[in-house]
Amino acid sequence: DVTLVGILSADGMLNIDAYNAFEKGFQLITQAAGRAGRSETQGQVIVQAHDTNNFCIERACEHDYIGFYESEIEFRKTMHYPPFTHMGVVALASTKDRKVYDYAKEIKGECLLFSEEGGIEVFGPSRPTIQKIKSKFRWRLVLKCDSEALLIELFTHIINSMRAKLKKDDIDMTLDIDPLNFF
């Protein structure tokens, strides 16, 4: 018996720290809108946003799944995002902010040396959206690579070369390939 659904700051969810933010936003808008008018009474959906011209919001308001896909897949191709490449994340956490940052820089150096002939782009170190959890400061590196096998090889190298040092300094490390979010 829901007849009115309001979606506030709909474009806010499009700025989350993930390559698939528009896909998630489109899903949430269409799911929320689908709650209105399920009975015999017609429903209404009001979408509030700062950027109402964003293709994600426009396509969701039009229930245009095909149009959304076409725009999204072109955006991902242009940005070199999955499925056109593989992405990796090296996430580090510790109670010592400077120490975890220094390790992130060291691991970036390892990544760059490993990929001297190219093939892997390395971004960071940078802070994730949530910078601290349970008294642990967080830093991360984001990687792009056409070859999943090369990312696996790099991650194996990082684990083998850094495991003992990280354990000694009580640094947590998480490695992920094609994550749904960037920690």
Side-chain angles (χ1 to χ4, degrees):
D1 292 329
V2 175
T3 58
L4 177 64
V5 171
I7 303 170
L8 304 177
S9 298
D11 51 349
M13 68 182 96
L14 305 180
N15 297 316
I16 62 171
D17 202 8
Y19 68 88
N20 57 351
F22 288 175
E23 179 183 352
K24 289 179 179 183
F26 181 85
Q27 289 172 346
L28 289 171
I29 292 168
T30 55
Q31 286 172 6
R35 302 292 179 243
R38 287 187 168 188
S39 66
E40 295 172 13
T41 307
Q42 189 174 10
Q44 183 179 12
V45 179
I46 299 172
V47 177
Q48 183 269 329
H50 290 92
D51 181 12
T52 55
N53 294 323
N54 181 288
F55 78 88
C56 174
I57 293 172
E58 287 180 342
R59 301 303 182 281
C61 289
E62 297 164 357
H63 301 288
D64 183 2
Y65 296 91
I66 302 299
F68 172 76
Y69 170 79
E70 290 170 350
S71 297
E72 177 69 2
I73 204 71
E74 188 60 37
F75 172 75
R76 289 192 190 184
K77 185 176 185 178
T78 300
M79 297 303 293
H80 203 61
Y81 286 156
F84 301 100
T85 191
H86 292 282
M87 297 188 80
V89 174
V90 179
L92 302 165
S94 171
T95 56
K96 300 176 187 106
D97 190 31
R98 184 62 194 197
K99 193 78 142 167
V100 75
Y101 173 75
D102 289 343
Y103 272 110
K105 285 190 347 188
E106 183 176 345
I107 291 171
K108 180 177 184 170
E110 290 281 327
C111 292
L112 294 172
L113 284 174
F114 184 87
S115 180
E116 282 183 333
E117 296 179 24
I120 299 175
E121 293 178 78
V122 184
F123 303 92
S126 62
R127 293 224 189 249
T129 303
I130 301 172
Q131 299 177 14
K132 190 176 181 184
I133 295 178
K134 295 184 180 179
S135 301
K136 290 192 175 188
F137 297 94
R138 303 167 72 219
W139 288 89
R140 57 133 191 248
L141 300 167
V142 176
L143 306 115
K144 285 185 184 179
C145 182
D146 290 337
S147 167
E148 183 179 36
L150 187 58
L151 272 180
I152 291 169
E153 190 178 334
L154 171 59
F155 282 2
T156 302
H157 169 77
I158 290 169
I159 290 168
N160 291 336
S161 66
M162 300 297 294
R163 182 182 319 181
K165 289 165 69 170
L166 293 170
K167 186 173 181 161
K168 178 182 73 75
D169 283 332
D170 197 29
I171 307 285
D172 300 330
M173 179 174 67
T174 304
L175 306 169
D176 198 357
I177 294 177
D178 292 334
L180 293 179
N181 63 50
F182 293 150
F183 299 85

